[in-house]
Short mmCIF file of all heavy atoms in Angstrom, two decimals:
data_model
loop_
_atom_site.label_atom_id
_atom_site.label_comp_id
_atom_site.label_asym_id
_atom_site.label_seq_id
_atom_site.Cartn_x
_atom_site.Cartn_y
_atom_site.Cartn_z
N VAL A 1 -6.67 -140.51 106.76
CA VAL A 1 -5.98 -141.33 107.67
C VAL A 1 -6.07 -142.78 107.36
O VAL A 1 -4.95 -143.52 107.22
CB VAL A 1 -6.33 -141.00 109.17
CG1 VAL A 1 -5.52 -141.95 110.14
CG2 VAL A 1 -6.16 -139.60 109.47
N ARG A 2 -7.29 -143.19 107.21
CA ARG A 2 -7.48 -144.62 106.91
C ARG A 2 -6.87 -145.04 105.55
O ARG A 2 -6.25 -146.11 105.46
CB ARG A 2 -9.03 -144.95 106.89
CG ARG A 2 -9.35 -146.38 106.68
CD ARG A 2 -10.86 -146.64 106.67
NE ARG A 2 -11.51 -146.24 107.92
CZ ARG A 2 -12.29 -145.17 108.04
NH1 ARG A 2 -12.53 -144.42 107.08
NH2 ARG A 2 -12.85 -144.89 109.25
N GLU A 3 -6.96 -144.21 104.59
CA GLU A 3 -6.46 -144.56 103.21
C GLU A 3 -4.92 -144.51 103.12
O GLU A 3 -4.38 -145.26 102.40
CB GLU A 3 -7.18 -143.70 102.21
CG GLU A 3 -8.65 -143.91 102.08
CD GLU A 3 -9.42 -143.00 101.15
OE1 GLU A 3 -8.76 -142.14 100.53
OE2 GLU A 3 -10.66 -143.07 101.06
N ALA A 4 -4.34 -143.56 103.91
CA ALA A 4 -2.89 -143.60 103.96
C ALA A 4 -2.37 -144.99 104.62
O ALA A 4 -1.31 -145.47 104.15
CB ALA A 4 -2.38 -142.36 104.77
N LYS A 5 -3.07 -145.41 105.60
CA LYS A 5 -2.70 -146.71 106.28
C LYS A 5 -2.93 -147.81 105.22
O LYS A 5 -2.14 -148.83 105.26
CB LYS A 5 -3.56 -146.88 107.46
CG LYS A 5 -3.12 -145.86 108.74
CD LYS A 5 -3.97 -146.15 109.89
CE LYS A 5 -3.55 -145.25 110.98
NZ LYS A 5 -4.36 -145.42 112.26
N GLU A 6 -4.03 -147.72 104.48
CA GLU A 6 -4.30 -148.78 103.46
C GLU A 6 -3.15 -148.81 102.44
O GLU A 6 -2.72 -149.95 102.09
CB GLU A 6 -5.61 -148.40 102.68
CG GLU A 6 -6.82 -148.59 103.45
CD GLU A 6 -7.40 -149.95 103.36
OE1 GLU A 6 -6.69 -150.89 103.00
OE2 GLU A 6 -8.56 -150.13 103.73
N MET A 7 -2.58 -147.63 102.14
CA MET A 7 -1.47 -147.63 101.20
C MET A 7 -0.23 -148.35 101.81
O MET A 7 0.43 -149.23 101.17
CB MET A 7 -1.15 -146.30 100.81
CG MET A 7 0.09 -146.13 99.88
SD MET A 7 0.72 -144.37 99.72
CE MET A 7 1.46 -144.13 101.36
N VAL A 8 0.07 -147.98 103.02
CA VAL A 8 1.26 -148.52 103.73
C VAL A 8 1.06 -150.05 103.87
O VAL A 8 1.97 -150.86 103.64
CB VAL A 8 1.44 -147.88 105.13
CG1 VAL A 8 2.56 -148.60 105.89
CG2 VAL A 8 1.76 -146.37 105.03
N LYS A 9 -0.15 -150.48 104.25
CA LYS A 9 -0.46 -151.84 104.49
C LYS A 9 -0.28 -152.70 103.18
O LYS A 9 0.28 -153.79 103.14
CB LYS A 9 -1.78 -152.15 104.99
CG LYS A 9 -2.13 -153.63 105.34
CD LYS A 9 -3.49 -153.70 105.98
CE LYS A 9 -3.71 -155.16 106.45
NZ LYS A 9 -3.72 -156.11 105.35
N ALA A 10 -0.67 -152.08 102.05
CA ALA A 10 -0.47 -152.69 100.70
C ALA A 10 0.94 -153.09 100.49
O ALA A 10 1.32 -154.15 99.94
CB ALA A 10 -1.19 -151.88 99.61
N PHE A 11 1.86 -152.15 100.71
CA PHE A 11 3.24 -152.30 100.44
C PHE A 11 3.78 -153.40 101.55
O PHE A 11 4.53 -154.27 101.11
CB PHE A 11 4.04 -151.04 100.60
CG PHE A 11 3.88 -150.12 99.47
CD1 PHE A 11 3.30 -148.84 99.56
CD2 PHE A 11 4.33 -150.42 98.13
CE1 PHE A 11 3.16 -148.01 98.40
CE2 PHE A 11 4.25 -149.71 97.08
CZ PHE A 11 3.68 -148.42 97.22
N HIS A 12 3.39 -153.24 102.73
CA HIS A 12 3.91 -154.11 103.78
C HIS A 12 3.43 -155.54 103.42
O HIS A 12 4.23 -156.52 103.72
CB HIS A 12 3.35 -153.69 105.14
CG HIS A 12 4.16 -152.61 105.72
ND1 HIS A 12 3.86 -152.05 106.99
CD2 HIS A 12 5.06 -151.83 105.15
CE1 HIS A 12 4.69 -151.04 107.19
NE2 HIS A 12 5.49 -150.89 106.18
N ASP A 13 2.22 -155.68 103.00
CA ASP A 13 1.76 -157.16 102.64
C ASP A 13 2.61 -157.69 101.60
O ASP A 13 2.54 -158.95 101.45
CB ASP A 13 0.24 -157.02 102.23
CG ASP A 13 -0.71 -156.82 103.32
OD1 ASP A 13 -0.26 -156.86 104.57
OD2 ASP A 13 -1.91 -156.44 102.98
N ARG A 14 3.27 -156.92 100.87
CA ARG A 14 4.18 -157.48 99.80
C ARG A 14 5.63 -157.39 100.21
O ARG A 14 6.51 -157.55 99.32
CB ARG A 14 3.89 -156.73 98.47
CG ARG A 14 2.53 -157.01 97.90
CD ARG A 14 2.06 -155.92 97.00
NE ARG A 14 0.72 -156.30 96.51
CZ ARG A 14 -0.46 -156.20 97.16
NH1 ARG A 14 -0.41 -155.69 98.31
NH2 ARG A 14 -1.64 -156.59 96.57
N GLY A 15 5.83 -157.18 101.44
CA GLY A 15 7.22 -157.15 101.99
C GLY A 15 8.05 -156.01 101.55
O GLY A 15 9.33 -155.99 101.60
N ILE A 16 7.35 -154.85 101.27
CA ILE A 16 7.98 -153.61 100.86
C ILE A 16 7.96 -152.64 101.93
O ILE A 16 6.82 -152.33 102.42
CB ILE A 16 7.42 -153.02 99.52
CG1 ILE A 16 7.61 -154.05 98.38
CG2 ILE A 16 8.07 -151.76 99.10
CD1 ILE A 16 6.82 -153.86 97.17
N GLY A 17 9.06 -151.92 102.33
CA GLY A 17 9.05 -150.89 103.31
C GLY A 17 8.58 -149.59 102.75
O GLY A 17 8.69 -149.39 101.51
N VAL A 18 8.13 -148.66 103.57
CA VAL A 18 7.74 -147.39 103.09
C VAL A 18 8.47 -146.27 103.76
O VAL A 18 8.54 -146.21 105.03
CB VAL A 18 6.23 -147.08 103.39
CG1 VAL A 18 5.79 -145.68 102.93
CG2 VAL A 18 5.35 -148.19 102.64
N ILE A 19 9.21 -145.41 103.10
CA ILE A 19 9.94 -144.36 103.52
C ILE A 19 9.31 -143.05 103.28
O ILE A 19 8.80 -142.84 102.10
CB ILE A 19 11.38 -144.34 102.87
CG1 ILE A 19 12.17 -145.68 103.32
CG2 ILE A 19 12.25 -143.10 103.33
CD1 ILE A 19 13.48 -145.83 102.50
N MET A 20 9.17 -142.12 104.19
CA MET A 20 8.41 -140.89 104.07
C MET A 20 9.36 -139.78 103.98
O MET A 20 10.26 -139.47 104.63
CB MET A 20 7.51 -140.79 105.31
CG MET A 20 6.58 -139.60 105.32
SD MET A 20 5.56 -139.65 106.79
CE MET A 20 4.86 -138.01 106.73
N ASP A 21 9.04 -138.96 102.90
CA ASP A 21 9.87 -137.75 102.55
C ASP A 21 9.33 -136.66 103.57
O ASP A 21 8.12 -136.34 103.54
CB ASP A 21 9.68 -137.25 101.15
CG ASP A 21 10.73 -136.33 100.64
OD1 ASP A 21 11.27 -135.59 101.50
OD2 ASP A 21 10.93 -136.32 99.44
N VAL A 22 10.15 -136.06 104.47
CA VAL A 22 9.72 -135.09 105.43
C VAL A 22 10.48 -133.75 105.09
O VAL A 22 11.64 -133.75 104.76
CB VAL A 22 10.01 -135.55 106.84
CG1 VAL A 22 8.97 -136.68 107.21
CG2 VAL A 22 11.34 -136.03 107.14
N VAL A 23 9.78 -132.61 105.47
CA VAL A 23 10.29 -131.29 105.13
C VAL A 23 10.21 -130.54 106.43
O VAL A 23 9.28 -129.78 106.65
CB VAL A 23 9.47 -130.64 104.04
CG1 VAL A 23 10.17 -129.28 103.67
CG2 VAL A 23 9.40 -131.51 102.79
N PHE A 24 11.27 -130.64 107.27
CA PHE A 24 11.36 -129.90 108.51
C PHE A 24 12.19 -128.67 108.45
O PHE A 24 12.61 -128.10 109.40
CB PHE A 24 11.76 -130.76 109.69
CG PHE A 24 10.83 -131.85 110.04
CD1 PHE A 24 11.09 -133.20 109.82
CD2 PHE A 24 9.57 -131.56 110.55
CE1 PHE A 24 10.12 -134.19 110.17
CE2 PHE A 24 8.58 -132.49 110.90
CZ PHE A 24 8.92 -133.91 110.70
N ASN A 25 12.61 -128.34 107.24
CA ASN A 25 13.53 -127.21 107.05
C ASN A 25 12.94 -126.02 106.87
O ASN A 25 13.41 -124.89 107.15
CB ASN A 25 14.52 -127.59 105.84
CG ASN A 25 13.75 -127.62 104.57
OD1 ASN A 25 13.34 -126.59 103.94
ND2 ASN A 25 13.63 -128.89 104.01
N HIS A 26 11.56 -125.93 106.51
CA HIS A 26 10.90 -124.66 106.36
C HIS A 26 9.35 -125.01 106.46
O HIS A 26 8.93 -126.05 106.33
CB HIS A 26 11.19 -123.95 105.02
CG HIS A 26 10.47 -124.56 103.86
ND1 HIS A 26 10.94 -125.72 103.24
CD2 HIS A 26 9.42 -124.15 103.14
CE1 HIS A 26 10.14 -126.04 102.24
NE2 HIS A 26 9.25 -125.07 102.15
N THR A 27 8.53 -123.92 106.48
CA THR A 27 7.15 -124.03 106.40
C THR A 27 6.65 -123.17 105.14
O THR A 27 7.36 -122.27 104.73
CB THR A 27 6.42 -123.43 107.62
OG1 THR A 27 6.91 -122.18 107.96
CG2 THR A 27 6.57 -124.44 108.81
N PHE A 28 5.59 -123.54 104.61
CA PHE A 28 5.08 -122.82 103.39
C PHE A 28 4.84 -121.35 103.81
O PHE A 28 5.20 -120.41 103.13
CB PHE A 28 3.87 -123.58 102.80
CG PHE A 28 3.25 -122.72 101.60
CD1 PHE A 28 3.97 -122.77 100.38
CD2 PHE A 28 2.07 -122.02 101.69
CE1 PHE A 28 3.45 -122.08 99.34
CE2 PHE A 28 1.56 -121.27 100.66
CZ PHE A 28 2.20 -121.32 99.41
N LYS A 29 4.09 -121.22 104.85
CA LYS A 29 3.75 -119.89 105.41
C LYS A 29 4.81 -119.43 106.41
O LYS A 29 5.47 -120.29 107.03
CB LYS A 29 2.35 -119.82 106.12
CG LYS A 29 1.24 -120.31 105.23
CD LYS A 29 -0.06 -120.38 106.07
CE LYS A 29 -1.19 -121.02 105.31
NZ LYS A 29 -2.41 -121.02 106.11
N THR A 30 4.92 -118.15 106.54
CA THR A 30 5.91 -117.65 107.58
C THR A 30 5.26 -116.85 108.69
O THR A 30 4.83 -117.44 109.59
CB THR A 30 6.98 -116.89 106.85
OG1 THR A 30 7.73 -117.81 105.91
CG2 THR A 30 8.11 -116.47 107.88
N ILE A 31 5.01 -115.59 108.33
CA ILE A 31 4.41 -114.72 109.44
C ILE A 31 3.07 -115.21 109.82
O ILE A 31 2.69 -115.24 111.04
CB ILE A 31 4.27 -113.32 108.96
CG1 ILE A 31 5.68 -112.69 108.72
CG2 ILE A 31 3.47 -112.43 109.85
CD1 ILE A 31 5.74 -111.25 108.03
N ASP A 32 2.26 -115.66 108.86
CA ASP A 32 0.86 -116.04 109.19
C ASP A 32 0.80 -117.61 109.41
O ASP A 32 -0.34 -118.10 109.39
CB ASP A 32 -0.09 -115.67 108.03
CG ASP A 32 0.30 -116.19 106.72
OD1 ASP A 32 1.41 -116.69 106.55
OD2 ASP A 32 -0.57 -116.21 105.87
N SER A 33 1.83 -118.30 109.53
CA SER A 33 1.77 -119.71 109.83
C SER A 33 1.26 -120.06 111.19
O SER A 33 1.31 -119.10 112.12
CB SER A 33 3.20 -120.46 109.62
OG SER A 33 4.02 -119.88 110.78
N ASN A 34 0.65 -121.18 111.40
CA ASN A 34 0.10 -121.50 112.82
C ASN A 34 1.30 -121.47 113.76
O ASN A 34 1.08 -121.00 114.87
CB ASN A 34 -0.53 -122.84 112.67
CG ASN A 34 0.25 -124.04 112.17
OD1 ASN A 34 1.39 -123.90 111.94
ND2 ASN A 34 -0.37 -125.16 111.99
N LEU A 35 2.44 -121.90 113.37
CA LEU A 35 3.63 -121.92 114.27
C LEU A 35 4.07 -120.51 114.70
O LEU A 35 4.21 -120.21 115.89
CB LEU A 35 4.84 -122.65 113.61
CG LEU A 35 4.64 -124.07 113.39
CD1 LEU A 35 5.80 -124.65 112.63
CD2 LEU A 35 4.47 -124.86 114.67
N ASN A 36 4.22 -119.60 113.80
CA ASN A 36 4.64 -118.30 114.07
C ASN A 36 3.53 -117.44 114.72
O ASN A 36 3.82 -116.58 115.50
CB ASN A 36 5.05 -117.49 112.77
CG ASN A 36 5.76 -116.14 113.14
OD1 ASN A 36 6.82 -116.25 113.68
ND2 ASN A 36 5.16 -115.10 112.77
N THR A 37 2.26 -117.70 114.44
CA THR A 37 1.16 -116.95 115.17
C THR A 37 1.15 -117.39 116.52
O THR A 37 0.82 -116.60 117.46
CB THR A 37 -0.13 -117.27 114.34
OG1 THR A 37 -0.07 -116.91 113.09
CG2 THR A 37 -1.25 -116.48 114.99
#
């Protein structure tokens, strides 16, 4: 958590925004995923 924030801050300190790639279309697991369980 701390190191992910360090990365974001390093970009922000240089005036660069950070866009995050998100995958809400599927999960890796299906039947045994935490969501389906």
Side-chain angles (χ1 to χ4, degrees):
V1 177
R2 184 180 299 110
E3 292 175 5
K5 291 178 178 179
E6 289 271 17
M7 178 192 72
V8 173
K9 186 175 185 296
F11 285 117
H12 283 185
D13 286 350
R14 288 156 181 80
I16 300 168
V18 179
I19 297 169
M20 183 175 168
D21 199 333
V22 290
V23 185
F24 293 115
N25 61 78
H26 78 282
T27 53
F28 178 72
K29 301 174 184 176
T30 300
I31 293 175
D32 60 342
S33 68
N34 53 10
L35 295 174
N36 191 65
T37 302

